[in-house]
Amino acid sequence: MNELQSKLVEMLHWFDGFCIKNELSYYAVDGTMLGVARHAGFIPWDDDIDVCLPRPDYEKMKSKFGNTQIGKYYLEMPNSNDEAFASPYAKLYDTSTTLIEHYQKPLIRGVFIDIFPLDSLSCDEGDAIKKLAKIKRKQYFFMSRVVAYSSRRKVYKNLAIIFSKIIPHSIVSNKQLRIEIDALCKSEKYDINKWGGMCLSDWGRKEIMPLSVFGKPTRYKFENIEVFGVQNFDTYLTRVYGNWEMLPPEAKRVSRHDYLSLDLN
């Protein structure tokens, strides 16, 4: 592990203990679950941690944090008063570090873990996908208001960033959009529907699946610790990544994150 990965493992170990102590269920997901299954730890070129909590546990997590900070760990939620906060889901920050992310307004926080809600959408797959599309439209609009212009981004995405500035924040604030996105995600009761997923991840429709795929949180090795992950991980990873056991071409073995500055001390 490099220094950043070591810091993330330290954070994940703390979060795992926090969830066990407070009887919260969580799963390692996305690239973190892929790392668990394929590498028993980080994907070598990865530099983040993704977890999700079933919506009831996600809501309980907020109340257990109280004033949103325990020791050096700070939890920021979609209802954050900071207009610069660029996520409609929770992030756990290590306040003993400084990490500046590249957004329209540079986001100055610390090293973080992404914490997604796992939501129920419908008893029918097609209806679940329609509901996801509604969530994604609002999420994409929100992202166009916070992400920075980049020459690496497709032209139509940069144009969306430019045009989204037409609507002033005095009319539609980022906080309002984050809260509306979160409300759309949790509009259905968690335990009555078969289909759902992580509505706010980068994988869109690929994340929509029977919630039974997640199953009982199962213990796995991750570097030098153990974490909870998806019980039916092969089904989950196949839906999201396809042939997940195959390494990508070397040219794609790079971090997708855009950091302006990082200080682990």
Short mmCIF file of all heavy atoms in Angstrom, two decimals, residues 71-110:
data_model
loop_
_atom_site.label_atom_id
_atom_site.label_comp_id
_atom_site.label_asym_id
_atom_site.label_seq_id
_atom_site.Cartn_x
_atom_site.Cartn_y
_atom_site.Cartn_z
N GLY A 71 -14.17 12.30 17.40
CA GLY A 71 -12.71 12.34 17.34
C GLY A 71 -12.26 13.13 16.12
O GLY A 71 -12.71 14.26 15.89
N LYS A 72 -11.41 12.53 15.31
CA LYS A 72 -10.92 13.23 14.11
C LYS A 72 -11.77 12.96 12.88
O LYS A 72 -11.48 13.47 11.80
CB LYS A 72 -9.47 12.85 13.83
CG LYS A 72 -9.26 11.39 13.43
CD LYS A 72 -7.78 11.13 13.12
CE LYS A 72 -7.54 9.70 12.68
NZ LYS A 72 -6.11 9.47 12.34
N TYR A 73 -12.84 12.18 13.04
CA TYR A 73 -13.66 11.82 11.88
C TYR A 73 -14.93 12.66 11.82
O TYR A 73 -15.68 12.76 12.79
CB TYR A 73 -14.00 10.33 11.92
CG TYR A 73 -12.77 9.47 11.75
CD1 TYR A 73 -12.30 8.68 12.80
CD2 TYR A 73 -12.05 9.48 10.56
CE1 TYR A 73 -11.16 7.90 12.65
CE2 TYR A 73 -10.91 8.71 10.40
CZ TYR A 73 -10.47 7.93 11.45
OH TYR A 73 -9.33 7.18 11.29
N TYR A 74 -15.14 13.24 10.66
CA TYR A 74 -16.25 14.17 10.42
C TYR A 74 -17.16 13.60 9.34
O TYR A 74 -16.68 13.21 8.27
CB TYR A 74 -15.71 15.53 10.00
CG TYR A 74 -16.76 16.52 9.54
CD1 TYR A 74 -17.62 17.12 10.45
CD2 TYR A 74 -16.87 16.87 8.20
CE1 TYR A 74 -18.57 18.03 10.04
CE2 TYR A 74 -17.83 17.78 7.77
CZ TYR A 74 -18.67 18.36 8.70
OH TYR A 74 -19.63 19.26 8.28
N LEU A 75 -18.46 13.55 9.62
CA LEU A 75 -19.44 13.04 8.66
C LEU A 75 -20.20 14.20 8.05
O LEU A 75 -20.83 14.98 8.77
CB LEU A 75 -20.41 12.09 9.36
CG LEU A 75 -21.44 11.42 8.45
CD1 LEU A 75 -20.78 10.37 7.55
CD2 LEU A 75 -22.56 10.77 9.28
N GLU A 76 -20.15 14.32 6.73
CA GLU A 76 -20.91 15.37 6.02
C GLU A 76 -22.01 14.72 5.22
O GLU A 76 -21.78 13.75 4.47
CB GLU A 76 -19.99 16.20 5.13
CG GLU A 76 -20.64 17.47 4.64
CD GLU A 76 -19.64 18.53 4.19
OE1 GLU A 76 -18.48 18.17 3.89
OE2 GLU A 76 -20.02 19.71 4.13
N MET A 77 -23.21 15.25 5.36
CA MET A 77 -24.41 14.66 4.75
C MET A 77 -24.99 15.59 3.68
O MET A 77 -24.58 16.75 3.58
CB MET A 77 -25.46 14.40 5.84
CG MET A 77 -25.01 13.46 6.95
SD MET A 77 -24.73 11.75 6.38
CE MET A 77 -26.38 11.27 5.86
N PRO A 78 -25.96 15.11 2.89
CA PRO A 78 -26.54 15.94 1.83
C PRO A 78 -27.14 17.25 2.32
O PRO A 78 -27.25 18.21 1.54
CB PRO A 78 -27.63 15.03 1.23
CG PRO A 78 -27.11 13.66 1.46
CD PRO A 78 -26.43 13.71 2.81
N ASN A 79 -27.55 17.32 3.58
CA ASN A 79 -28.14 18.57 4.09
C ASN A 79 -27.09 19.55 4.59
O ASN A 79 -27.42 20.54 5.27
CB ASN A 79 -29.15 18.28 5.20
CG ASN A 79 -28.50 17.64 6.42
OD1 ASN A 79 -27.33 17.26 6.39
ND2 ASN A 79 -29.28 17.51 7.49
N SER A 80 -25.82 19.35 4.25
CA SER A 80 -24.74 20.26 4.63
C SER A 80 -25.06 21.69 4.21
O SER A 80 -25.58 21.93 3.11
CB SER A 80 -23.42 19.82 3.98
OG SER A 80 -22.42 20.79 4.15
N ASN A 81 -24.75 22.64 5.07
CA ASN A 81 -25.00 24.04 4.76
C ASN A 81 -23.96 24.64 3.84
O ASN A 81 -24.12 25.77 3.36
CB ASN A 81 -25.06 24.86 6.06
CG ASN A 81 -26.32 24.57 6.86
OD1 ASN A 81 -27.40 24.43 6.30
ND2 ASN A 81 -26.18 24.48 8.18
N ASP A 82 -22.89 23.91 3.59
CA ASP A 82 -21.82 24.41 2.73
C ASP A 82 -22.20 24.20 1.26
O ASP A 82 -22.31 23.06 0.80
CB ASP A 82 -20.51 23.69 3.04
CG ASP A 82 -19.31 24.30 2.33
OD1 ASP A 82 -19.52 25.10 1.39
OD2 ASP A 82 -18.17 23.98 2.71
N GLU A 83 -22.40 25.28 0.54
CA GLU A 83 -22.79 25.19 -0.87
C GLU A 83 -21.72 24.50 -1.72
O GLU A 83 -21.99 23.99 -2.79
CB GLU A 83 -23.06 26.59 -1.44
CG GLU A 83 -24.43 27.14 -1.09
CD GLU A 83 -25.55 26.42 -1.82
OE1 GLU A 83 -25.67 26.54 -3.05
OE2 GLU A 83 -26.31 25.70 -1.15
N ALA A 84 -20.49 24.47 -1.23
CA ALA A 84 -19.40 23.85 -1.98
C ALA A 84 -19.42 22.33 -1.88
O ALA A 84 -18.79 21.65 -2.70
CB ALA A 84 -18.05 24.38 -1.50
N PHE A 85 -20.13 21.78 -0.89
CA PHE A 85 -20.17 20.32 -0.73
C PHE A 85 -20.77 19.70 -1.99
O PHE A 85 -21.87 20.04 -2.39
CB PHE A 85 -20.97 19.92 0.50
CG PHE A 85 -20.97 18.45 0.77
CD1 PHE A 85 -19.79 17.74 0.89
CD2 PHE A 85 -22.17 17.76 0.91
CE1 PHE A 85 -19.78 16.37 1.15
CE2 PHE A 85 -22.18 16.39 1.16
CZ PHE A 85 -20.98 15.70 1.27
N ALA A 86 -20.04 18.78 -2.59
CA ALA A 86 -20.36 18.36 -3.97
C ALA A 86 -20.92 16.95 -4.07
O ALA A 86 -20.84 16.34 -5.14
CB ALA A 86 -19.10 18.47 -4.83
N SER A 87 -21.53 16.42 -3.01
CA SER A 87 -22.04 15.05 -3.04
C SER A 87 -23.45 14.97 -2.47
O SER A 87 -23.70 15.51 -1.38
CB SER A 87 -21.13 14.11 -2.25
OG SER A 87 -19.84 14.07 -2.80
N PRO A 88 -24.38 14.28 -3.17
CA PRO A 88 -25.71 14.07 -2.62
C PRO A 88 -25.79 12.84 -1.72
O PRO A 88 -26.87 12.33 -1.43
CB PRO A 88 -26.57 13.90 -3.87
CG PRO A 88 -25.64 13.28 -4.86
CD PRO A 88 -24.26 13.82 -4.56
N TYR A 89 -24.62 12.32 -1.31
CA TYR A 89 -24.54 11.20 -0.37
C TYR A 89 -23.49 11.55 0.69
O TYR A 89 -22.82 12.59 0.59
CB TYR A 89 -24.16 9.90 -1.10
CG TYR A 89 -22.97 10.04 -2.01
CD1 TYR A 89 -21.66 9.91 -1.53
CD2 TYR A 89 -23.14 10.31 -3.37
CE1 TYR A 89 -20.57 10.06 -2.37
CE2 TYR A 89 -22.04 10.45 -4.22
CZ TYR A 89 -20.77 10.33 -3.71
OH TYR A 89 -19.69 10.47 -4.54
N ALA A 90 -23.35 10.71 1.69
CA ALA A 90 -22.49 11.02 2.82
C ALA A 90 -21.02 10.79 2.50
O ALA A 90 -20.66 9.95 1.69
CB ALA A 90 -22.90 10.18 4.03
N LYS A 91 -20.16 11.57 3.18
CA LYS A 91 -18.72 11.36 3.12
C LYS A 91 -18.16 11.44 4.54
O LYS A 91 -18.55 12.31 5.32
CB LYS A 91 -18.04 12.40 2.24
CG LYS A 91 -18.28 12.18 0.74
CD LYS A 91 -17.28 12.94 -0.09
CE LYS A 91 -17.36 12.58 -1.56
NZ LYS A 91 -16.21 13.08 -2.34
N LEU A 92 -17.26 10.52 4.83
CA LEU A 92 -16.55 10.52 6.10
C LEU A 92 -15.15 11.05 5.87
O LEU A 92 -14.41 10.53 5.03
CB LEU A 92 -16.48 9.10 6.68
CG LEU A 92 -15.77 8.96 8.03
CD1 LEU A 92 -16.63 9.57 9.15
CD2 LEU A 92 -15.48 7.49 8.33
N TYR A 93 -14.79 12.11 6.61
CA TYR A 93 -13.50 12.78 6.41
C TYR A 93 -12.58 12.56 7.62
O TYR A 93 -13.05 12.54 8.77
CB TYR A 93 -13.69 14.28 6.22
CG TYR A 93 -14.38 14.66 4.94
CD1 TYR A 93 -15.72 15.05 4.95
CD2 TYR A 93 -13.71 14.65 3.72
CE1 TYR A 93 -16.36 15.41 3.77
CE2 TYR A 93 -14.34 15.02 2.55
CZ TYR A 93 -15.66 15.39 2.57
OH TYR A 93 -16.30 15.75 1.42
N ASP A 94 -11.30 12.46 7.33
CA ASP A 94 -10.27 12.46 8.37
C ASP A 94 -9.74 13.88 8.49
O ASP A 94 -9.04 14.38 7.60
CB ASP A 94 -9.14 11.50 7.98
CG ASP A 94 -8.03 11.42 9.02
OD1 ASP A 94 -7.95 12.32 9.87
OD2 ASP A 94 -7.25 10.46 8.97
N THR A 95 -10.09 14.55 9.59
CA THR A 95 -9.76 15.97 9.73
C THR A 95 -8.28 16.21 10.07
O THR A 95 -7.85 17.36 10.14
CB THR A 95 -10.63 16.63 10.81
OG1 THR A 95 -10.37 16.00 12.07
CG2 THR A 95 -12.11 16.51 10.48
N SER A 96 -7.51 15.13 10.28
CA SER A 96 -6.08 15.31 10.50
C SER A 96 -5.31 15.38 9.19
O SER A 96 -4.09 15.51 9.19
CB SER A 96 -5.53 14.16 11.36
OG SER A 96 -5.49 12.94 10.62
N THR A 97 -6.04 15.29 8.08
CA THR A 97 -5.44 15.37 6.74
C THR A 97 -6.08 16.53 5.98
O THR A 97 -7.12 17.06 6.40
CB THR A 97 -5.64 14.08 5.95
OG1 THR A 97 -7.06 13.92 5.68
CG2 THR A 97 -5.14 12.87 6.72
N THR A 98 -5.48 16.90 4.86
CA THR A 98 -6.08 17.91 3.99
C THR A 98 -6.05 17.40 2.55
O THR A 98 -5.00 17.02 2.04
CB THR A 98 -5.33 19.25 4.05
OG1 THR A 98 -5.35 19.74 5.40
CG2 THR A 98 -5.98 20.28 3.14
N LEU A 99 -7.22 17.37 1.95
CA LEU A 99 -7.34 16.98 0.54
C LEU A 99 -8.22 18.01 -0.16
O LEU A 99 -9.31 18.33 0.32
CB LEU A 99 -7.93 15.58 0.41
CG LEU A 99 -7.91 14.95 -0.99
CD1 LEU A 99 -7.86 13.42 -0.89
CD2 LEU A 99 -9.13 15.34 -1.81
N ILE A 100 -7.73 18.56 -1.26
CA ILE A 100 -8.49 19.55 -2.02
C ILE A 100 -8.92 18.92 -3.34
O ILE A 100 -8.08 18.54 -4.15
CB ILE A 100 -7.66 20.82 -2.28
CG1 ILE A 100 -7.17 21.41 -0.95
CG2 ILE A 100 -8.50 21.85 -3.03
CD1 ILE A 100 -6.29 22.63 -1.11
N GLU A 101 -10.24 18.79 -3.52
CA GLU A 101 -10.78 18.20 -4.75
C GLU A 101 -11.06 19.30 -5.77
O GLU A 101 -11.43 20.43 -5.42
CB GLU A 101 -12.06 17.44 -4.45
CG GLU A 101 -11.84 16.22 -3.57
CD GLU A 101 -13.13 15.45 -3.39
OE1 GLU A 101 -13.47 14.65 -4.28
OE2 GLU A 101 -13.80 15.67 -2.37
N HIS A 102 -10.93 18.94 -7.04
CA HIS A 102 -11.06 19.89 -8.13
C HIS A 102 -12.53 20.02 -8.56
O HIS A 102 -13.04 19.23 -9.35
CB HIS A 102 -10.21 19.43 -9.32
CG HIS A 102 -10.12 20.46 -10.41
ND1 HIS A 102 -9.73 20.16 -11.69
CD2 HIS A 102 -10.37 21.80 -10.42
CE1 HIS A 102 -9.74 21.25 -12.43
NE2 HIS A 102 -10.14 22.25 -11.68
N TYR A 103 -13.22 21.00 -7.99
CA TYR A 103 -14.58 21.34 -8.39
C TYR A 103 -14.61 22.80 -8.81
O TYR A 103 -13.58 23.49 -8.77
CB TYR A 103 -15.55 21.10 -7.23
CG TYR A 103 -15.81 19.65 -6.95
CD1 TYR A 103 -15.19 18.99 -5.89
CD2 TYR A 103 -16.69 18.91 -7.73
CE1 TYR A 103 -15.42 17.65 -5.62
CE2 TYR A 103 -16.93 17.57 -7.48
CZ TYR A 103 -16.30 16.95 -6.43
OH TYR A 103 -16.53 15.62 -6.19
N GLN A 104 -15.79 23.30 -9.22
CA GLN A 104 -15.88 24.72 -9.58
C GLN A 104 -15.40 25.59 -8.43
O GLN A 104 -14.71 26.58 -8.64
CB GLN A 104 -17.33 25.06 -9.96
CG GLN A 104 -17.74 24.48 -11.32
CD GLN A 104 -19.08 25.02 -11.79
OE1 GLN A 104 -19.44 26.15 -11.51
NE2 GLN A 104 -19.81 24.21 -12.55
N LYS A 105 -15.79 25.22 -7.21
CA LYS A 105 -15.21 25.81 -6.01
C LYS A 105 -14.37 24.73 -5.36
O LYS A 105 -14.93 23.73 -4.90
CB LYS A 105 -16.31 26.28 -5.04
CG LYS A 105 -17.18 27.41 -5.56
CD LYS A 105 -18.21 27.79 -4.52
CE LYS A 105 -19.09 28.94 -5.00
NZ LYS A 105 -20.12 29.30 -3.99
N PRO A 106 -13.05 24.85 -5.38
CA PRO A 106 -12.21 23.79 -4.81
C PRO A 106 -12.71 23.38 -3.43
O PRO A 106 -12.95 24.22 -2.56
CB PRO A 106 -10.82 24.44 -4.74
CG PRO A 106 -10.83 25.43 -5.86
CD PRO A 106 -12.24 25.98 -5.89
N LEU A 107 -12.92 22.08 -3.24
CA LEU A 107 -13.50 21.54 -2.01
C LEU A 107 -12.38 21.14 -1.07
O LEU A 107 -11.65 20.17 -1.31
CB LEU A 107 -14.40 20.35 -2.33
CG LEU A 107 -15.19 19.78 -1.17
CD1 LEU A 107 -16.19 20.82 -0.65
CD2 LEU A 107 -15.92 18.51 -1.58
N ILE A 108 -12.23 21.90 0.02
CA ILE A 108 -11.13 21.69 0.97
C ILE A 108 -11.67 20.90 2.16
O ILE A 108 -12.43 21.42 2.97
CB ILE A 108 -10.54 23.03 1.43
CG1 ILE A 108 -10.11 23.87 0.23
CG2 ILE A 108 -9.36 22.80 2.37
CD1 ILE A 108 -9.71 25.29 0.57
N ARG A 109 -11.28 19.65 2.25
CA ARG A 109 -11.70 18.79 3.34
C ARG A 109 -10.50 17.95 3.78
O ARG A 109 -9.44 18.49 4.06
CB ARG A 109 -12.86 17.88 2.91
CG ARG A 109 -14.15 18.61 2.57
CD ARG A 109 -14.82 19.20 3.81
NE ARG A 109 -16.17 19.65 3.52
CZ ARG A 109 -16.50 20.84 3.03
NH1 ARG A 109 -15.54 21.71 2.73
NH2 ARG A 109 -17.76 21.18 2.84
N GLY A 110 -10.69 16.63 3.84
CA GLY A 110 -9.62 15.70 4.18
C GLY A 110 -9.77 14.44 3.37
O GLY A 110 -10.68 14.33 2.53
#
